[in-house]
Each structure stands twice: as C-alpha cells, then as structure tokens.
Amino acid sequence: MSFAALCVAPLAASGSASAAAKQQAAEVGFSVTASAEVPNTRLRLLLQAIAQESGGERVLPALAARLNQRMNSALKLIESTPGVKAQTRGLRSSPVYENGKQTGWRLVGQIEAVGDAKTFPQLAGKLQASGLSVESVQAEPAENALSAAREQQTKAAISNLKRRAQVVSQALGCSAWSFAEVNLNDQDSHPPVGVLRMATAKAEPAALAPGATTVTVRASAKMRCEP
C-alpha cells in the first residue's frame, strides 16, 4: 500500500480570525492503492505468413495460391487445437524494390490465435515450423478472474482509505470526520511476453511464459476534519 502526500486546506469560515482558527473545519486530501497479481491463463498470438517471388504481375496468382495454402494449413491446425480460436487479421500485397527498380512482389497474411496458454508452446512451434512467424504475443487472465480481482482490490482500496482517514483524524485531533469526495481508478499491467519471431525448421515447442497481470486500484479522497 502506498500513500500520497497529505494536502490540508481550510474551509471558508466567518467571524474573527481567532474564532475561525478554533471553529473552522479543514479538508485533507490523500490517496491509497491496493494491488494483486492474477495469473495469465490465455495468450493472444499474431502470426504472419509471407510469400515472395521475383517477376512482374504475372507471378501474383501463383503467389496468392502459395500464401492461401500456407494460411489455410495454419487455420486448420489452430482450429483443430482444443481451446484455441483463429481469425484472419489482414492480407496485403506490395512490390519489392532493389536499387529503385521493382524486382518482384510480396504477399503477407496475418492470423490471430487466442486461447488456453498451456496449448500454445507446442502449437506455436508447429506453426513456426510450417513457415509462419510470431509477430507479437499478449498474455491475459481469464475475464472472470480479472473481474474478481478488480472487485477484491476495490474493496481493499476502500478499506485502506478508511484506515488512513482514521490515522489522519487522530493525528490532526479531529472531533469528527467525513469523506467529502472519493474517487476510484483501476489499472491492469500486462508484462510483454517474448518469443522467437522467425519461422523455424523444426517443430520445437516455443518458449512462452505467460506470467501474471497486476491489477491495481487507486482510491483518492478528500476528508473533512471537524475541529
């Protein structure tokens, strides 16, 4: 738990300066945090297939057929893996230049695979061996686990806020206190997952460690301190 610096500001008061010093209330601003780690049980991989050939536009039909074959094989492999779903993310073509002169064409296709993290090391290795490269990897917890963690840390942050208010009240000698304002903000921190991006010759399991997501809830408040 971490605390921000206290900010104390007097409220407007009437009467003489000496009476105001005794009677006026004060507003105290502070914040606390509560956080916990949630295991990542799902992975989201962006895979890429490339087909390239020298020549003019006449090579495009054969290139497209080669790329489609590679993409379809990858989709079948992904969709045959329990707990994993696939979706095509993009197809594009671009000319290849050397020394300012067009020498060929390149076709690129992308597939996103999402599912159980336990199945991905073996699956990613097979996909890399089939000629696809892994462009990015994102790890995330199951949605119900993430929601539960947010709820728990929200309760913890509010409890921390109340305890902090009691400490401040006693330190300032408040006869009574109340919250004038309370704000809550949550944030999830997903660490990056590294993986060998290039295609490989053998279907070795990919080195994938999902890790955990840190769920943090920050509670800030303004407390009214009665003299």
Side-chain angles (χ1 to χ4, degrees), residues 154-195:
T154 296
K155 294 176 182 178
I158 293 174
S159 295
N160 293 342
L161 201 65
K162 291 178 179 179
R163 283 196 295 269
R164 182 61 169 168
Q166 291 283 3
V167 172
V168 173
S169 173
Q170 293 174 5
L172 293 178
C174 306
S175 62
W177 66 270
S178 60
F179 285 129
E181 181 181 328
V182 175
N183 294 296
L184 295 170
N185 294 286
D186 59 75
Q187 181 179 357
D188 303 333
S189 175
H190 300 274
V193 180
V195 66

PDB file of all heavy atoms in Angstrom, residues 154-195:
ATOM      1  N   THR A 154     -10.786  -3.362  -5.215  1.00  0.00           N
ATOM      2  CA  THR A 154     -11.602  -2.174  -4.949  1.00  0.00           C
ATOM      3  C   THR A 154     -12.006  -2.140  -3.486  1.00  0.00           C
ATOM      4  O   THR A 154     -11.909  -1.105  -2.808  1.00  0.00           O
ATOM      5  CB  THR A 154     -12.857  -2.172  -5.841  1.00  0.00           C
ATOM      6  OG1 THR A 154     -12.462  -2.073  -7.219  1.00  0.00           O
ATOM      7  CG2 THR A 154     -13.760  -0.987  -5.510  1.00  0.00           C
ATOM      8  N   LYS A 155     -12.460  -3.294  -2.960  1.00  0.00           N
ATOM      9  CA  LYS A 155     -12.815  -3.379  -1.542  1.00  0.00           C
ATOM     10  C   LYS A 155     -11.600  -3.112  -0.657  1.00  0.00           C
ATOM     11  O   LYS A 155     -11.691  -2.423   0.361  1.00  0.00           O
ATOM     12  CB  LYS A 155     -13.407  -4.751  -1.226  1.00  0.00           C
ATOM     13  CG  LYS A 155     -14.747  -5.025  -1.894  1.00  0.00           C
ATOM     14  CD  LYS A 155     -15.221  -6.439  -1.607  1.00  0.00           C
ATOM     15  CE  LYS A 155     -16.539  -6.738  -2.300  1.00  0.00           C
ATOM     16  NZ  LYS A 155     -16.981  -8.146  -2.059  1.00  0.00           N
ATOM     17  N   ALA A 156     -10.455  -3.660  -1.052  1.00  0.00           N
ATOM     18  CA  ALA A 156      -9.232  -3.471  -0.267  1.00  0.00           C
ATOM     19  C   ALA A 156      -8.811  -2.007  -0.262  1.00  0.00           C
ATOM     20  O   ALA A 156      -8.387  -1.469   0.773  1.00  0.00           O
ATOM     21  CB  ALA A 156      -8.112  -4.343  -0.822  1.00  0.00           C
ATOM     22  N   ALA A 157      -8.922  -1.331  -1.417  1.00  0.00           N
ATOM     23  CA  ALA A 157      -8.537   0.083  -1.512  1.00  0.00           C
ATOM     24  C   ALA A 157      -9.436   0.952  -0.643  1.00  0.00           C
ATOM     25  O   ALA A 157      -8.966   1.885   0.029  1.00  0.00           O
ATOM     26  CB  ALA A 157      -8.585   0.548  -2.966  1.00  0.00           C
ATOM     27  N   ILE A 158     -10.732   0.656  -0.621  1.00  0.00           N
ATOM     28  CA  ILE A 158     -11.662   1.423   0.206  1.00  0.00           C
ATOM     29  C   ILE A 158     -11.373   1.194   1.690  1.00  0.00           C
ATOM     30  O   ILE A 158     -11.414   2.124   2.498  1.00  0.00           O
ATOM     31  CB  ILE A 158     -13.112   1.061  -0.150  1.00  0.00           C
ATOM     32  CG1 ILE A 158     -13.442   1.548  -1.570  1.00  0.00           C
ATOM     33  CG2 ILE A 158     -14.091   1.673   0.849  1.00  0.00           C
ATOM     34  CD1 ILE A 158     -14.793   1.116  -2.086  1.00  0.00           C
ATOM     35  N   SER A 159     -11.078  -0.056   2.062  1.00  0.00           N
ATOM     36  CA  SER A 159     -10.708  -0.345   3.453  1.00  0.00           C
ATOM     37  C   SER A 159      -9.440   0.407   3.846  1.00  0.00           C
ATOM     38  O   SER A 159      -9.340   0.971   4.942  1.00  0.00           O
ATOM     39  CB  SER A 159     -10.506  -1.849   3.648  1.00  0.00           C
ATOM     40  OG  SER A 159     -11.711  -2.558   3.459  1.00  0.00           O
ATOM     41  N   ASN A 160      -8.445   0.424   2.945  1.00  0.00           N
ATOM     42  CA  ASN A 160      -7.207   1.163   3.195  1.00  0.00           C
ATOM     43  C   ASN A 160      -7.477   2.659   3.353  1.00  0.00           C
ATOM     44  O   ASN A 160      -6.853   3.342   4.172  1.00  0.00           O
ATOM     45  CB  ASN A 160      -6.219   0.948   2.051  1.00  0.00           C
ATOM     46  CG  ASN A 160      -5.725  -0.485   1.976  1.00  0.00           C
ATOM     47  OD1 ASN A 160      -5.844  -1.250   2.927  1.00  0.00           O
ATOM     48  ND2 ASN A 160      -5.174  -0.856   0.836  1.00  0.00           N
ATOM     49  N   LEU A 161      -8.422   3.153   2.562  1.00  0.00           N
ATOM     50  CA  LEU A 161      -8.776   4.575   2.613  1.00  0.00           C
ATOM     51  C   LEU A 161      -9.382   4.925   3.982  1.00  0.00           C
ATOM     52  O   LEU A 161      -9.036   5.953   4.581  1.00  0.00           O
ATOM     53  CB  LEU A 161      -9.770   4.891   1.498  1.00  0.00           C
ATOM     54  CG  LEU A 161      -9.901   6.353   1.053  1.00  0.00           C
ATOM     55  CD1 LEU A 161      -8.597   6.827   0.412  1.00  0.00           C
ATOM     56  CD2 LEU A 161     -11.049   6.494   0.058  1.00  0.00           C
ATOM     57  N   LYS A 162     -10.261   4.067   4.467  1.00  0.00           N
ATOM     58  CA  LYS A 162     -10.882   4.309   5.771  1.00  0.00           C
ATOM     59  C   LYS A 162      -9.854   4.261   6.896  1.00  0.00           C
ATOM     60  O   LYS A 162      -9.888   5.094   7.822  1.00  0.00           O
ATOM     61  CB  LYS A 162     -11.983   3.286   6.022  1.00  0.00           C
ATOM     62  CG  LYS A 162     -13.207   3.444   5.120  1.00  0.00           C
ATOM     63  CD  LYS A 162     -14.236   2.354   5.397  1.00  0.00           C
ATOM     64  CE  LYS A 162     -15.466   2.524   4.520  1.00  0.00           C
ATOM     65  NZ  LYS A 162     -16.463   1.452   4.751  1.00  0.00           N
ATOM     66  N   ARG A 163      -8.934   3.282   6.830  1.00  0.00           N
ATOM     67  CA  ARG A 163      -7.901   3.195   7.859  1.00  0.00           C
ATOM     68  C   ARG A 163      -7.007   4.429   7.841  1.00  0.00           C
ATOM     69  O   ARG A 163      -6.618   4.954   8.888  1.00  0.00           O
ATOM     70  CB  ARG A 163      -7.069   1.928   7.653  1.00  0.00           C
ATOM     71  CG  ARG A 163      -7.761   0.657   8.119  1.00  0.00           C
ATOM     72  CD  ARG A 163      -6.765  -0.491   8.257  1.00  0.00           C
ATOM     73  NE  ARG A 163      -6.208  -0.867   6.963  1.00  0.00           N
ATOM     74  CZ  ARG A 163      -6.734  -1.789   6.176  1.00  0.00           C
ATOM     75  NH1 ARG A 163      -7.835  -2.421   6.545  1.00  0.00           N
ATOM     76  NH2 ARG A 163      -6.167  -2.088   5.029  1.00  0.00           N
ATOM     77  N   ARG A 164      -6.677   4.881   6.643  1.00  0.00           N
ATOM     78  CA  ARG A 164      -5.833   6.071   6.512  1.00  0.00           C
ATOM     79  C   ARG A 164      -6.559   7.291   7.070  1.00  0.00           C
ATOM     80  O   ARG A 164      -5.952   8.142   7.735  1.00  0.00           O
ATOM     81  CB  ARG A 164      -5.477   6.284   5.044  1.00  0.00           C
ATOM     82  CG  ARG A 164      -4.561   7.464   4.777  1.00  0.00           C
ATOM     83  CD  ARG A 164      -3.223   7.315   5.472  1.00  0.00           C
ATOM     84  NE  ARG A 164      -2.283   8.301   5.012  1.00  0.00           N
ATOM     85  CZ  ARG A 164      -1.125   8.559   5.596  1.00  0.00           C
ATOM     86  NH1 ARG A 164      -0.779   7.885   6.664  1.00  0.00           N
ATOM     87  NH2 ARG A 164      -0.316   9.476   5.106  1.00  0.00           N
ATOM     88  N   ALA A 165      -7.857   7.389   6.845  1.00  0.00           N
ATOM     89  CA  ALA A 165      -8.637   8.513   7.355  1.00  0.00           C
ATOM     90  C   ALA A 165      -8.640   8.521   8.885  1.00  0.00           C
ATOM     91  O   ALA A 165      -8.554   9.594   9.518  1.00  0.00           O
ATOM     92  CB  ALA A 165     -10.062   8.446   6.827  1.00  0.00           C
ATOM     93  N   GLN A 166      -8.725   7.339   9.488  1.00  0.00           N
ATOM     94  CA  GLN A 166      -8.683   7.257  10.953  1.00  0.00           C
ATOM     95  C   GLN A 166      -7.344   7.760  11.480  1.00  0.00           C
ATOM     96  O   GLN A 166      -7.281   8.496  12.473  1.00  0.00           O
ATOM     97  CB  GLN A 166      -8.916   5.809  11.397  1.00  0.00           C
ATOM     98  CG  GLN A 166     -10.324   5.291  11.162  1.00  0.00           C
ATOM     99  CD  GLN A 166     -11.318   5.816  12.187  1.00  0.00           C
ATOM    100  OE1 GLN A 166     -10.985   6.616  13.055  1.00  0.00           O
ATOM    101  NE2 GLN A 166     -12.563   5.368  12.057  1.00  0.00           N
ATOM    102  N   VAL A 167      -6.253   7.357  10.834  1.00  0.00           N
ATOM    103  CA  VAL A 167      -4.918   7.794  11.251  1.00  0.00           C
ATOM    104  C   VAL A 167      -4.788   9.310  11.124  1.00  0.00           C
ATOM    105  O   VAL A 167      -4.282  10.000  12.031  1.00  0.00           O
ATOM    106  CB  VAL A 167      -3.828   7.095  10.400  1.00  0.00           C
ATOM    107  CG1 VAL A 167      -2.453   7.699  10.696  1.00  0.00           C
ATOM    108  CG2 VAL A 167      -3.823   5.598  10.679  1.00  0.00           C
ATOM    109  N   VAL A 168      -5.244   9.869  10.006  1.00  0.00           N
ATOM    110  CA  VAL A 168      -5.159  11.314   9.780  1.00  0.00           C
ATOM    111  C   VAL A 168      -6.009  12.063  10.802  1.00  0.00           C
ATOM    112  O   VAL A 168      -5.604  13.087  11.357  1.00  0.00           O
ATOM    113  CB  VAL A 168      -5.616  11.653   8.345  1.00  0.00           C
ATOM    114  CG1 VAL A 168      -5.707  13.161   8.147  1.00  0.00           C
ATOM    115  CG2 VAL A 168      -4.654  11.053   7.326  1.00  0.00           C
ATOM    116  N   SER A 169      -7.207  11.523  11.066  1.00  0.00           N
ATOM    117  CA  SER A 169      -8.110  12.166  12.021  1.00  0.00           C
ATOM    118  C   SER A 169      -7.474  12.247  13.403  1.00  0.00           C
ATOM    119  O   SER A 169      -7.532  13.286  14.078  1.00  0.00           O
ATOM    120  CB  SER A 169      -9.431  11.393  12.085  1.00  0.00           C
ATOM    121  OG  SER A 169     -10.262  11.887  13.105  1.00  0.00           O
ATOM    122  N   GLN A 170      -6.871  11.156  13.843  1.00  0.00           N
ATOM    123  CA  GLN A 170      -6.236  11.140  15.158  1.00  0.00           C
ATOM    124  C   GLN A 170      -5.032  12.073  15.201  1.00  0.00           C
ATOM    125  O   GLN A 170      -4.803  12.788  16.192  1.00  0.00           O
ATOM    126  CB  GLN A 170      -5.813   9.721  15.512  1.00  0.00           C
ATOM    127  CG  GLN A 170      -6.987   8.769  15.739  1.00  0.00           C
ATOM    128  CD  GLN A 170      -6.539   7.335  15.947  1.00  0.00           C
ATOM    129  OE1 GLN A 170      -5.346   7.043  16.012  1.00  0.00           O
ATOM    130  NE2 GLN A 170      -7.501   6.418  16.035  1.00  0.00           N
ATOM    131  N   ALA A 171      -4.253  12.089  14.118  1.00  0.00           N
ATOM    132  CA  ALA A 171      -3.058  12.936  14.079  1.00  0.00           C
ATOM    133  C   ALA A 171      -3.414  14.417  14.111  1.00  0.00           C
ATOM    134  O   ALA A 171      -2.700  15.225  14.718  1.00  0.00           O
ATOM    135  CB  ALA A 171      -2.236  12.620  12.841  1.00  0.00           C
ATOM    136  N   LEU A 172      -4.528  14.784  13.469  1.00  0.00           N
ATOM    137  CA  LEU A 172      -4.942  16.185  13.411  1.00  0.00           C
ATOM    138  C   LEU A 172      -5.842  16.576  14.582  1.00  0.00           C
ATOM    139  O   LEU A 172      -6.164  17.748  14.759  1.00  0.00           O
ATOM    140  CB  LEU A 172      -5.674  16.459  12.094  1.00  0.00           C
ATOM    141  CG  LEU A 172      -4.837  16.374  10.811  1.00  0.00           C
ATOM    142  CD1 LEU A 172      -5.708  16.634   9.581  1.00  0.00           C
ATOM    143  CD2 LEU A 172      -3.680  17.374  10.850  1.00  0.00           C
ATOM    144  N   GLY A 173      -6.252  15.595  15.375  1.00  0.00           N
ATOM    145  CA  GLY A 173      -7.112  15.899  16.510  1.00  0.00           C
ATOM    146  C   GLY A 173      -8.527  16.273  16.102  1.00  0.00           C
ATOM    147  O   GLY A 173      -9.146  17.143  16.741  1.00  0.00           O
ATOM    148  N   CYS A 174      -9.046  15.632  15.070  1.00  0.00           N
ATOM    149  CA  CYS A 174     -10.408  15.939  14.613  1.00  0.00           C
ATOM    150  C   CYS A 174     -11.425  15.412  15.632  1.00  0.00           C
ATOM    151  O   CYS A 174     -11.306  14.292  16.126  1.00  0.00           O
ATOM    152  CB  CYS A 174     -10.685  15.307  13.260  1.00  0.00           C
ATOM    153  SG  CYS A 174      -9.474  15.715  11.982  1.00  0.00           S
ATOM    154  N   SER A 175     -12.428  16.225  15.912  1.00  0.00           N
ATOM    155  CA  SER A 175     -13.507  15.751  16.780  1.00  0.00           C
ATOM    156  C   SER A 175     -14.438  14.818  16.011  1.00  0.00           C
ATOM    157  O   SER A 175     -15.096  13.957  16.601  1.00  0.00           O
ATOM    158  CB  SER A 175     -14.305  16.943  17.327  1.00  0.00           C
ATOM    159  OG  SER A 175     -14.911  17.679  16.253  1.00  0.00           O
ATOM    160  N   ALA A 176     -14.499  15.003  14.710  1.00  0.00           N
ATOM    161  CA  ALA A 176     -15.291  14.144  13.826  1.00  0.00           C
ATOM    162  C   ALA A 176     -14.754  14.305  12.412  1.00  0.00           C
ATOM    163  O   ALA A 176     -14.091  15.300  12.093  1.00  0.00           O
ATOM    164  CB  ALA A 176     -16.767  14.508  13.885  1.00  0.00           C
ATOM    165  N   TRP A 177     -14.988  13.313  11.564  1.00  0.00           N
ATOM    166  CA  TRP A 177     -14.539  13.424  10.180  1.00  0.00           C
ATOM    167  C   TRP A 177     -15.534  12.746   9.256  1.00  0.00           C
ATOM    168  O   TRP A 177     -16.313  11.890   9.664  1.00  0.00           O
ATOM    169  CB  TRP A 177     -13.146  12.823   9.985  1.00  0.00           C
ATOM    170  CG  TRP A 177     -13.071  11.339  10.193  1.00  0.00           C
ATOM    171  CD1 TRP A 177     -12.815  10.679  11.357  1.00  0.00           C
ATOM    172  CD2 TRP A 177     -13.286  10.328   9.208  1.00  0.00           C
ATOM    173  NE1 TRP A 177     -12.847   9.335  11.193  1.00  0.00           N
ATOM    174  CE2 TRP A 177     -13.134   9.077   9.855  1.00  0.00           C
ATOM    175  CE3 TRP A 177     -13.591  10.337   7.856  1.00  0.00           C
ATOM    176  CZ2 TRP A 177     -13.273   7.865   9.199  1.00  0.00           C
ATOM    177  CZ3 TRP A 177     -13.721   9.135   7.192  1.00  0.00           C
ATOM    178  CH2 TRP A 177     -13.569   7.910   7.846  1.00  0.00           C
ATOM    179  N   SER A 178     -15.503  13.151   7.992  1.00  0.00           N
ATOM    180  CA  SER A 178     -16.357  12.533   6.972  1.00  0.00           C
ATOM    181  C   SER A 178     -15.682  12.720   5.617  1.00  0.00           C
ATOM    182  O   SER A 178     -14.887  13.642   5.426  1.00  0.00           O
ATOM    183  CB  SER A 178     -17.759  13.164   6.950  1.00  0.00           C
ATOM    184  OG  SER A 178     -17.683  14.555   6.658  1.00  0.00           O
ATOM    185  N   PHE A 179     -16.009  11.835   4.682  1.00  0.00           N
ATOM    186  CA  PHE A 179     -15.481  11.975   3.334  1.00  0.00           C
ATOM    187  C   PHE A 179     -16.298  13.009   2.566  1.00  0.00           C
ATOM    188  O   PHE A 179     -17.522  12.907   2.485  1.00  0.00           O
ATOM    189  CB  PHE A 179     -15.519  10.641   2.590  1.00  0.00           C
ATOM    190  CG  PHE A 179     -14.461   9.665   3.019  1.00  0.00           C
ATOM    191  CD1 PHE A 179     -14.800   8.371   3.373  1.00  0.00           C
ATOM    192  CD2 PHE A 179     -13.128  10.032   3.055  1.00  0.00           C
ATOM    193  CE1 PHE A 179     -13.834   7.467   3.775  1.00  0.00           C
ATOM    194  CE2 PHE A 179     -12.148   9.143   3.448  1.00  0.00           C
ATOM    195  CZ  PHE A 179     -12.498   7.851   3.815  1.00  0.00           C
ATOM    196  N   ALA A 180     -15.613  13.989   2.007  1.00  0.00           N
ATOM    197  CA  ALA A 180     -16.279  14.974   1.162  1.00  0.00           C
ATOM    198  C   ALA A 180     -16.295  14.515  -0.294  1.00  0.00           C
ATOM    199  O   ALA A 180     -17.176  14.883  -1.073  1.00  0.00           O
ATOM    200  CB  ALA A 180     -15.577  16.325   1.261  1.00  0.00           C
ATOM    201  N   GLU A 181     -15.321  13.664  -0.658  1.00  0.00           N
ATOM    202  CA  GLU A 181     -15.208  13.195  -2.049  1.00  0.00           C
ATOM    203  C   GLU A 181     -14.347  11.939  -2.081  1.00  0.00           C
ATOM    204  O   GLU A 181     -13.349  11.838  -1.362  1.00  0.00           O
ATOM    205  CB  GLU A 181     -14.583  14.287  -2.921  1.00  0.00           C
ATOM    206  CG  GLU A 181     -14.427  13.934  -4.384  1.00  0.00           C
ATOM    207  CD  GLU A 181     -13.790  15.050  -5.191  1.00  0.00           C
ATOM    208  OE1 GLU A 181     -14.008  16.233  -4.841  1.00  0.00           O
ATOM    209  OE2 GLU A 181     -13.057  14.740  -6.149  1.00  0.00           O
ATOM    210  N   VAL A 182     -14.736  10.972  -2.904  1.00  0.00           N
ATOM    211  CA  VAL A 182     -13.963   9.738  -3.079  1.00  0.00           C
ATOM    212  C   VAL A 182     -13.904   9.400  -4.568  1.00  0.00           C
ATOM    213  O   VAL A 182     -14.935   9.456  -5.252  1.00  0.00           O
ATOM    214  CB  VAL A 182     -14.583   8.552  -2.304  1.00  0.00           C
ATOM    215  CG1 VAL A 182     -13.821   7.264  -2.624  1.00  0.00           C
ATOM    216  CG2 VAL A 182     -14.570   8.807  -0.805  1.00  0.00           C
ATOM    217  N   ASN A 183     -12.717   9.065  -5.070  1.00  0.00           N
ATOM    218  CA  ASN A 183     -12.541   8.679  -6.468  1.00  0.00           C
ATOM    219  C   ASN A 183     -11.800   7.346  -6.543  1.00  0.00           C
ATOM    220  O   ASN A 183     -10.867   7.112  -5.772  1.00  0.00           O
ATOM    221  CB  ASN A 183     -11.753   9.743  -7.248  1.00  0.00           C
ATOM    222  CG  ASN A 183     -12.519  11.040  -7.373  1.00  0.00           C
ATOM    223  OD1 ASN A 183     -13.571  11.093  -7.985  1.00  0.00           O
ATOM    224  ND2 ASN A 183     -11.992  12.094  -6.761  1.00  0.00           N
ATOM    225  N   LEU A 184     -12.230   6.489  -7.480  1.00  0.00           N
ATOM    226  CA  LEU A 184     -11.605   5.183  -7.680  1.00  0.00           C
ATOM    227  C   LEU A 184     -11.150   5.035  -9.116  1.00  0.00           C
ATOM    228  O   LEU A 184     -11.876   5.396 -10.049  1.00  0.00           O
ATOM    229  CB  LEU A 184     -12.582   4.055  -7.337  1.00  0.00           C
ATOM    230  CG  LEU A 184     -13.041   3.942  -5.877  1.00  0.00           C
ATOM    231  CD1 LEU A 184     -14.171   2.935  -5.766  1.00  0.00           C
ATOM    232  CD2 LEU A 184     -11.885   3.540  -4.981  1.00  0.00           C
ATOM    233  N   ASN A 185      -9.951   4.496  -9.302  1.00  0.00           N
ATOM    234  CA  ASN A 185      -9.415   4.210 -10.631  1.00  0.00           C
ATOM    235  C   ASN A 185      -8.701   2.869 -10.596  1.00  0.00           C
ATOM    236  O   ASN A 185      -7.960   2.587  -9.649  1.00  0.00           O
ATOM    237  CB  ASN A 185      -8.430   5.289 -11.085  1.00  0.00           C
ATOM    238  CG  ASN A 185      -9.103   6.636 -11.298  1.00  0.00           C
ATOM    239  OD1 ASN A 185      -9.813   6.836 -12.273  1.00  0.00           O
ATOM    240  ND2 ASN A 185      -8.893   7.554 -10.368  1.00  0.00           N
ATOM    241  N   ASP A 186      -8.933   2.033 -11.627  1.00  0.00           N
ATOM    242  CA  ASP A 186      -8.223   0.753 -11.683  1.00  0.00           C
ATOM    243  C   ASP A 186      -7.352   0.688 -12.931  1.00  0.00           C
ATOM    244  O   ASP A 186      -7.634   1.334 -13.938  1.00  0.00           O
ATOM    245  CB  ASP A 186      -9.195  -0.429 -11.649  1.00  0.00           C
ATOM    246  CG  ASP A 186     -10.195  -0.411 -12.785  1.00  0.00           C
ATOM    247  OD1 ASP A 186      -9.797  -0.734 -13.923  1.00  0.00           O
ATOM    248  OD2 ASP A 186     -11.371  -0.090 -12.548  1.00  0.00           O
ATOM    249  N   GLN A 187      -6.299  -0.094 -12.837  1.00  0.00           N
ATOM    250  CA  GLN A 187      -5.341  -0.233 -13.935  1.00  0.00           C
ATOM    251  C   GLN A 187      -4.791  -1.642 -13.954  1.00  0.00           C
ATOM    252  O   GLN A 187      -4.481  -2.213 -12.899  1.00  0.00           O
ATOM    253  CB  GLN A 187      -4.204   0.773 -13.774  1.00  0.00           C
ATOM    254  CG  GLN A 187      -3.168   0.726 -14.891  1.00  0.00           C
ATOM    255  CD  GLN A 187      -2.078   1.765 -14.703  1.00  0.00           C
ATOM    256  OE1 GLN A 187      -2.107   2.563 -13.786  1.00  0.00           O
ATOM    257  NE2 GLN A 187      -1.091   1.733 -15.584  1.00  0.00           N
ATOM    258  N   ASP A 188      -4.670  -2.217 -15.151  1.00  0.00           N
ATOM    259  CA  ASP A 188      -4.110  -3.560 -15.307  1.00  0.00           C
ATOM    260  C   ASP A 188      -2.780  -3.454 -16.038  1.00  0.00           C
ATOM    261  O   ASP A 188      -2.674  -2.804 -17.078  1.00  0.00           O
ATOM    262  CB  ASP A 188      -5.049  -4.459 -16.118  1.00  0.00           C
ATOM    263  CG  ASP A 188      -6.435  -4.537 -15.488  1.00  0.00           C
ATOM    264  OD1 ASP A 188      -6.534  -4.361 -14.268  1.00  0.00           O
ATOM    265  OD2 ASP A 188      -7.406  -4.759 -16.225  1.00  0.00           O
ATOM    266  N   SER A 189      -1.760  -4.087 -15.480  1.00  0.00           N
ATOM    267  CA  SER A 189      -0.425  -4.062 -16.071  1.00  0.00           C
ATOM    268  C   SER A 189      -0.105  -5.427 -16.658  1.00  0.00           C
ATOM    269  O   SER A 189       0.011  -6.414 -15.933  1.00  0.00           O
ATOM    270  CB  SER A 189       0.618  -3.688 -15.014  1.00  0.00           C
ATOM    271  OG  SER A 189       1.921  -3.763 -15.535  1.00  0.00           O
ATOM    272  N   HIS A 190       0.007  -5.483 -18.023  1.00  0.00           N
ATOM    273  CA  HIS A 190       0.308  -6.738 -18.715  1.00  0.00           C
ATOM    274  C   HIS A 190       1.775  -6.735 -19.138  1.00  0.00           C
ATOM    275  O   HIS A 190       2.161  -5.988 -20.038  1.00  0.00           O
ATOM    276  CB  HIS A 190      -0.564  -6.897 -19.967  1.00  0.00           C
ATOM    277  CG  HIS A 190      -2.034  -6.905 -19.685  1.00  0.00           C
ATOM    278  ND1 HIS A 190      -2.706  -8.048 -19.336  1.00  0.00           N
ATOM    279  CD2 HIS A 190      -2.943  -5.909 -19.688  1.00  0.00           C
ATOM    280  CE1 HIS A 190      -3.989  -7.753 -19.148  1.00  0.00           C
ATOM    281  NE2 HIS A 190      -4.151  -6.463 -19.351  1.00  0.00           N
ATOM    282  N   PRO A 191       2.636  -7.535 -18.537  1.00  0.00           N
ATOM    283  CA  PRO A 191       4.030  -7.567 -18.968  1.00  0.00           C
ATOM    284  C   PRO A 191       4.148  -8.189 -20.352  1.00  0.00           C
ATOM    285  O   PRO A 191       3.374  -9.081 -20.713  1.00  0.00           O
ATOM    286  CB  PRO A 191       4.706  -8.453 -17.915  1.00  0.00           C
ATOM    287  CG  PRO A 191       3.606  -9.331 -17.406  1.00  0.00           C
ATOM    288  CD  PRO A 191       2.355  -8.481 -17.456  1.00  0.00           C
ATOM    289  N   PRO A 192       5.094  -7.716 -21.177  1.00  0.00           N
ATOM    290  CA  PRO A 192       5.262  -8.306 -22.508  1.00  0.00           C
ATOM    291  C   PRO A 192       5.775  -9.738 -22.426  1.00  0.00           C
ATOM    292  O   PRO A 192       6.500 -10.097 -21.496  1.00  0.00           O
ATOM    293  CB  PRO A 192       6.300  -7.381 -23.174  1.00  0.00           C
ATOM    294  CG  PRO A 192       7.057  -6.798 -22.014  1.00  0.00           C
ATOM    295  CD  PRO A 192       6.063  -6.642 -20.903  1.00  0.00           C
ATOM    296  N   VAL A 193       5.374 -10.539 -23.394  1.00  0.00           N
ATOM    297  CA  VAL A 193       5.833 -11.928 -23.478  1.00  0.00           C
ATOM    298  C   VAL A 193       6.743 -12.046 -24.681  1.00  0.00           C
ATOM    299  O   VAL A 193       6.315 -11.823 -25.818  1.00  0.00           O
ATOM    300  CB  VAL A 193       4.646 -12.905 -23.615  1.00  0.00           C
ATOM    301  CG1 VAL A 193       5.153 -14.342 -23.693  1.00  0.00           C
ATOM    302  CG2 VAL A 193       3.696 -12.743 -22.438  1.00  0.00           C
ATOM    303  N   GLY A 194       8.006 -12.383 -24.463  1.00  0.00           N
ATOM    304  CA  GLY A 194       8.954 -12.501 -25.559  1.00  0.00           C
ATOM    305  C   GLY A 194       8.895 -13.870 -26.217  1.00  0.00           C
ATOM    306  O   GLY A 194       8.610 -14.868 -25.573  1.00  0.00           O
ATOM    307  N   VAL A 195       9.161 -13.900 -27.523  1.00  0.00           N
ATOM    308  CA  VAL A 195       9.172 -15.166 -28.252  1.00  0.00           C
ATOM    309  C   VAL A 195      10.020 -14.980 -29.505  1.00  0.00           C
ATOM    310  O   VAL A 195      10.134 -13.874 -30.040  1.00  0.00           O
ATOM    311  CB  VAL A 195       7.735 -15.606 -28.639  1.00  0.00           C
ATOM    312  CG1 VAL A 195       7.118 -14.649 -29.632  1.00  0.00           C
ATOM    313  CG2 VAL A 195       7.718 -17.038 -29.174  1.00  0.00           C
TER     314      VAL A 195
END
